[in-house]
Amino acid sequence: MLITHDTRCALDTVVDLVNTAPEDETAADGLPDVTTLTDFVGNHEISDVGVLSEFDLSAVRKIRGRFASVFAAPDARAAAGLINELVAAAGTTPRLTDHDGYDWHVHYFAPGASVADHLAADCGMALAFFVVAGEQERLRRCEAPDCRRAFVDLSRNRSRRYCDSRTCGNRLHVAAYRARRKEAAG
């Protein structure tokens, strides 16, 4: 599956956005205020976004939950329905652009769109490409019992199980090793 630079950036953005959601009612929200949203927009180089407000923060949190539902979708049909709703609500307007030193690429959001509509359109289309390619199962949640972070499995054989093999994967492998040693020592 060919993943363009823009699609990869949108995938990274949607994964990071979904992972800002608190995992339970005791966890802190990763987007607690407009300043954090502004930093998120800057860190992900989201273009054509004006001054952000509390309204923008609320709207982004709403679409964040809808994107989380895509990662939890049981099959391609369910994911497609969720993505279609996100993209349609954003009022997509595909257009070619070559701004900020980047070569020609497609933006799916309308000029002057809100940051939430911008994210819904561009990130929604990036996820749509996976469904179209029959690769919806690559949109995953970490299998570590104490982690439910979202990630996109870009491994060649679709075998990635953890959001980060250095943290979640390694921690589980060490725990399994210790359990085997303890059992062997009896």
Side-chain angles (χ1 to χ4, degrees):
M1 177 175 180
L2 175 67
I3 301 173
T4 66
H5 171 76
D6 293 340
T7 300
R8 180 59 193 253
C9 289
L11 291 171
D12 291 343
T13 299
V14 72
V15 164
D16 288 348
L17 178 62
V18 168
N19 289 333
T20 65
E23 293 197 23
D24 58 39
E25 43 296 321
T26 63
D29 192 313
L31 285 177
D33 53 36
V34 175
T35 301
T36 310
L37 177 59
T38 302
D39 291 344
F40 182 90
V41 166
N43 291 339
H44 288 86
E45 298 179 357
I46 300 169
S47 62
D48 201 20
V49 175
V51 176
L52 301 174
S53 67
E54 287 292 330
F55 177 81
D56 292 309
L57 178 62
S58 176
V60 168
R61 285 179 176 164
K62 264 185 211 161
I63 65 155
R64 173 181 69 184
R66 297 181 78 192
F67 278 127
S69 297
V70 173
F71 280 84
D75 56 38
R77 185 165 303 284
L82 294 163
I83 293 167
N84 283 340
E85 289 173 11
L86 273 161
V87 172
T92 57
T93 307
R95 62 188 167 95
L96 288 168
T97 183
D98 67 339
H99 62 88
D100 298 331
Y102 293 105
D103 205 359
W104 288 105
H105 58 282
V106 179
H107 280 187
Y108 295 96
F109 60 93
S114 71
V115 67
D117 285 346
H118 181 136
L119 291 169
D122 275 358
C123 295
M125 289 304 299
L127 295 176
F129 295 140
F130 276 78
V131 174
V132 167
E135 303 284 351
Q136 181 262 336
E137 74 276 359
R138 290 182 181 268
L139 309 176
R140 298 191 176 160
R141 290 289 189 159
C142 184
E143 291 183 19
D146 58 341
C147 180
R148 297 297 300 147
R149 293 179 60 85
F151 68 94
V152 178
D153 178 3
L154 297 176
S155 67
R156 197 177 289 248
N157 63 355
R158 300 177 188 92
S159 62
R160 188 170 160 198
R161 297 174 49 207
Y162 307 109
C163 63
D164 185 348
S165 60
R166 282 184 251 142
T167 54
C168 290
N170 192 42
R171 187 178 61 238
L172 286 175
H173 290 126
V174 168
Y177 169 78
R178 287 182 180 154
R180 286 190 306 271
R181 286 196 42 148
K182 185 177 180 180
E183 186 176 307

